[in-house]
Amino acid sequence: MGIAALILWLLTATGGFVLLGTWIAKGGVRQPGSSRLPAPVLFGHFLLAAAGLIVWIVYLVIDNDALSWIAFALLVPVAALGFFMLARWLPVYRSRNAIAAATTTAPERHFPIAIVGGHGLLAVATVVLVFLTALGVGS
């Protein structure tokens, strides 16, 4: 189950890279006031997720149960930041086809809905698999 969690985590990270790259390419860093997603939240989400992934890989290599719990503990704030960003992104997405969207230059307006949805679903599945693996289910 640990390898399945790793695969899901890597797929989730791929979607996250696409979203982060889109946000940066559309001016998220250059135009700080234009985005509803605060840069510290976005980069904190990325860095904590990357740290957790590294811990998870080390856990898989050396099979130390404490590392599985550390990786899971890192995922808790990652998930919280992800939900926060989703809540901030939804109004931007909903106004996408409205007249107000023409005046909105938020970089996150350019996020592909399929990537956002896939990233979220894969993230939930990753958290569940990491938690079950840390509990020792399936080993």
Side-chain angles (χ1 to χ4, degrees):
M1 197 174 314
I3 297 297
L6 175 64
I7 292 167
L8 285 178
W9 205 325
L10 291 171
L11 290 171
T12 304
T14 301
F17 280 128
V18 170
L19 296 172
L20 180 61
T22 301
W23 186 79
I24 290 171
K26 298 300 180 180
V29 177
R30 293 185 309 268
Q31 304 164 355
S34 67
S35 178
R36 291 184 49 86
L37 303 179
V41 172
L42 201 135
F43 287 111
H45 177 77
F46 166 73
L47 292 173
L48 285 170
L53 178 58
I54 291 167
V55 171
W56 189 253
I57 292 169
V58 173
Y59 157 71
L60 291 174
V61 171
I62 67 173
D63 196 27
N64 181 336
D65 289 340
L67 290 175
S68 67
W69 286 108
I70 292 169
F72 176 73
L74 286 168
L75 281 178
V76 172
V78 169
L81 292 172
F83 281 119
F84 172 79
M85 289 187 296
L86 177 65
R88 301 276 303 207
W89 174 77
L90 281 173
V92 173
Y93 172 73
R94 288 184 180 146
S95 71
R96 183 177 211 150
N97 296 324
I99 296 171
T103 61
T104 303
T105 59
E108 56 272 17
R109 265 190 68 231
H110 303 281
F111 287 172
I113 185 71
I115 302 293
V116 173
H119 179 70
L121 290 174
L122 288 169
V124 169
T126 300
V127 170
V128 169
L129 279 182
V130 167
F131 180 65
L132 291 175
T133 303
L135 286 175
V137 175
S139 58

